[in-house]
Amino acid sequence: MFNIIRYEIQTTMRQAYSWLTPLLFFMIVVTLFPLAIGPDEALLQKMAPGVIWIAALLATLLSIGNLFRADAEEGYLDRMLLSPHPLTLLVLCKVMSHWLTHCLPLILISPLLGFLLHLPPREEYVLIVSLLLGTPVLTLLGAIGAALIVGIRHHGLLLPVLIMPLYVPVLIFGTGALTAAALQQPITGYLAIMGAFMLLCFAFAPLLTGIALRIGVNQ
């Protein structure tokens, strides 16, 4: 698993546009809101949870569509399907490497963007924890949709239509945790539910992605 993840990370790092595009998109979307709304600190604090989470969701959606595309074009995906190793394990390694290269930079830059939106320290902490719990769910669910459309060349908006409804609960509880933190309410319930989402996705999403890959390749 370590060798596969290291290979995937090295391959992604050679293609700077692959991981820089979602990061720059995330930063641009968040930084444009203060410019459009104005310097109203109270309004920015109120809108910050939704702004940051929607930007993270869209940035993940922007990158997840190409998760298996290059592998399918280069024939590496066929080797994965014919490999003696469990396909579920190979998919999990690929999803983990994608999260490390595409989602982890978003989480690392989010405190700075939260400071831009005047988030207090407690909300900054909740923001980081909620993104750490929520972005793996976005990646794992997105991998299922990416696998289903891997055999379709001009899929257009098919991927967002497939997986956006699955993203809604993560968005609700992610923003809800930040809103509760802002109102000095308990946040453990929100984080516990997001943690349950993450564990559930780790248990079933790689298996479903492997099944979807076999369906998508045969289209």
Side-chain angles (χ1 to χ4, degrees), residues 71-90:
D71 293 337
E73 294 174 352
E74 297 172 0
Y76 179 70
L77 186 57
D78 294 328
R79 293 183 58 189
M80 286 178 58
L81 296 176
L82 297 174
S83 172
H85 302 288
L87 181 59
T88 302
L89 179 63
L90 299 178

Side-chain angles (χ1 to χ4, degrees), residues 101-116:
T101 54
H102 292 79
C103 296
L104 187 58
L106 304 185
I107 298 173
L108 295 177
I109 200 69
S110 61
L112 179 60
L113 299 177
F115 177 77
L116 179 66

Side-chain angles (χ1 to χ4, degrees), residues 15-160:
Q15 303 171 348
Y17 67 89
S18 175
W19 59 275
L20 275 178
T21 301
L23 180 61
L24 292 176
F25 177 83
F26 177 68
M27 295 174 60
I28 290 171
V29 170
V30 176
T31 53
L32 283 179
F33 269 86
L35 297 177
I37 296 173
D40 189 340
E41 183 175 338
L43 182 59
L44 288 175
Q45 285 184 3
K46 186 177 180 179
M47 296 185 62
V51 170
I52 294 177
W53 258 101
I54 290 176
L57 187 151
L58 293 177
T60 304
L61 191 62
L62 183 66
S63 63
I64 202 68
N66 297 321
L67 182 60
F68 301 107
R69 179 71 59 186
D71 293 337
E73 294 174 352
E74 297 172 0
Y76 179 70
L77 186 57
D78 294 328
R79 293 183 58 189
M80 286 178 58
L81 296 176
L82 297 174
S83 172
H85 302 288
L87 181 59
T88 302
L89 179 63
L90 299 178
V91 167
L92 180 60
C93 292
K94 191 163 185 64
V95 171
M96 289 176 62
S97 65
H98 183 275
W99 182 84
L100 290 171
T101 54
H102 292 79
C103 296
L104 187 58
L106 304 185
I107 298 173
L108 295 177
I109 200 69
S110 61
L112 179 60
L113 299 177
F115 177 77
L116 179 66
L117 298 176
H118 302 285
L119 283 181
R122 184 170 186 266
E123 293 181 47
E124 292 268 15
Y125 166 76
V126 177
L127 171 65
I128 296 173
V129 174
S130 64
L131 288 175
L132 284 172
L133 294 173
T135 49
V137 179
L138 300 180
T139 306
L140 288 163
L141 293 177
I144 301 175
L148 285 172
I149 66 168
V150 70
I152 304 175
R153 290 190 176 183
H154 304 289
H155 54 81
L157 294 176
L158 181 59
L159 180 60

Side-chain angles (χ1 to χ4, degrees), residues 157-209:
L157 294 176
L158 181 59
L159 180 60
V161 171
L162 283 175
I163 64 174
M164 190 62 74
L166 303 177
Y167 281 178
V168 173
V170 184
L171 179 65
I172 291 173
F173 286 101
T175 56
L178 284 169
T179 303
L183 298 175
Q184 302 298 320
Q185 296 177 352
I187 61 172
T188 53
Y190 294 97
L191 299 181
I193 292 176
M194 294 186 69
F197 282 158
M198 184 181 68
L199 294 177
L200 189 66
C201 287
F202 268 115
F204 293 103
L207 176 62
L208 297 176
T209 303

